[in-house]
Amino acid sequence: MNEIYQGLLSGFHEMTTLEIIAVFFAVLSVIFQKKNNILVYPTGLVSTGIYVYLLSHSHFKLYAEATLNAYYFVMSVYGWIYWARRKGQSQEHVRISFSAARTMGIAISIAVIGWAVFYFLLSNYSDSTTPIVDGFVSATACAGMWLLAKRKVENWILLNISNLVAIPLLFYKHLYLTSFLTIFLFIIAIFSYFSWRKEGLANESLQA
């Protein structure tokens, strides 16, 4: 226990201002995400941009996580545009909905193929020390982020699978503040799933 405690203290002392800023904006982003507020994207852009730089640093060697955050950055731009788009003659914004079988098939394919690609690249073209876990976390999060951009309820399931595996990985890499952020995201995602599910069911009843 003493070793764990000392490790935590050491990790907190090693935290940079950039990591603190990234975590702050990530917390804001997930709060806006839970509230189904479009501000999830501008706040997310700040956080993911910083994490791309931090995680690719040679000290951490979480290259797939860095790539994932670059993907988040791009998908945040796409999601921002998609969420702001108005649909049909009613000119309503795109609503929360459930994924059709085809959409879930695409999401699962993104996760599986992405994991294989990340693992291959990390194992053969990097000095990553955690290619299997790093690749899995990144691939499942990619799939979840794609569903989030399309405002699909199931995004929370895939994002939380990613979060659950990411927590011990981040502790192992001494990214303690980011580890606690991920625990926070995991808890929020559980409540968010049920909140979005309720709204998705309400939207279905309106369309019936």
Side-chain angles (χ1 to χ4, degrees):
M1 286 297 294
N2 185 56
E3 289 182 7
I4 296 173
Y5 175 70
Q6 291 300 324
L8 285 171
L9 282 181
S10 175
F12 281 120
H13 285 309
E14 291 172 6
M15 284 189 311
T16 65
T17 303
L18 277 179
E19 186 182 1
I20 293 170
I21 294 171
V23 168
F24 174 74
F25 276 95
V27 169
L28 285 181
S29 182
V30 77
I31 290 171
F32 288 130
Q33 185 177 346
K34 181 180 183 297
K35 292 179 177 293
N36 190 28
N37 189 308
I38 199 170
L39 290 175
V40 58
Y41 289 114
T43 51
L45 284 170
V46 176
S47 178
T48 55
I50 293 172
Y51 271 122
V52 169
Y53 170 77
L54 285 179
L55 294 172
S56 59
H57 194 277
S58 60
H59 177 66
F60 301 116
K61 299 180 182 178
L62 289 173
Y63 304 118
E65 285 280 308
T67 304
L68 170 64
N69 276 274
Y71 170 81
Y72 276 174
F73 191 91
V74 174
M75 288 302 291
S76 290
V77 175
Y78 169 77
W80 197 348
I81 295 169
Y82 188 85
W83 282 34
R85 190 177 70 182
R86 295 179 184 274
K87 194 176 183 181
Q89 293 181 347
S90 63
Q91 290 294 291
E92 292 180 344
H93 292 292
V94 177
R95 292 181 174 183
I96 290 173
S97 62
F98 292 91
S99 299
R102 181 176 179 275
T103 303
M104 277 307 298
I106 293 172
I108 292 170
S109 296
I110 290 171
V112 173
I113 295 171
W115 188 13
V117 171
F118 275 127
Y119 174 71
F120 174 78
L121 294 175
L122 290 172
S123 297
N124 294 282
Y125 299 103
S126 80
D127 56 352
S128 172
T129 56
T130 53
I132 295 177
V133 182
D134 192 12
F136 179 83
V137 168
S138 299
T140 49
C142 280
M145 188 66 179
W146 183 71
L147 289 177
L148 171 64
K150 292 189 170 294
R151 241 171 185 156
K152 299 298 182 182
V153 174
E154 294 80 5
N155 87 85
W156 296 107
I157 297 174
L158 285 170
L159 288 176
N160 244 5
I161 291 172
S162 176
N163 286 335
L164 186 62
V165 178
I167 292 166
L169 174 64
L170 292 167
F171 270 109
Y172 174 71
K173 290 292 184 176
H174 305 293
L175 286 162
Y176 297 111
L177 188 59
T178 305
S179 302
F180 289 119
L181 167 65
T182 307
I183 293 170
F184 171 74
L185 297 180
F186 181 84
I187 295 168
I188 289 293
I190 293 172
F191 290 101
S192 298
Y193 169 77
F194 289 107
S195 176
W196 277 45
R197 184 176 183 276
K198 181 179 179 181
E199 187 164 343
L201 289 170
N203 289 337
E204 279 190 349
S205 65
L206 289 174
Q207 294 173 357

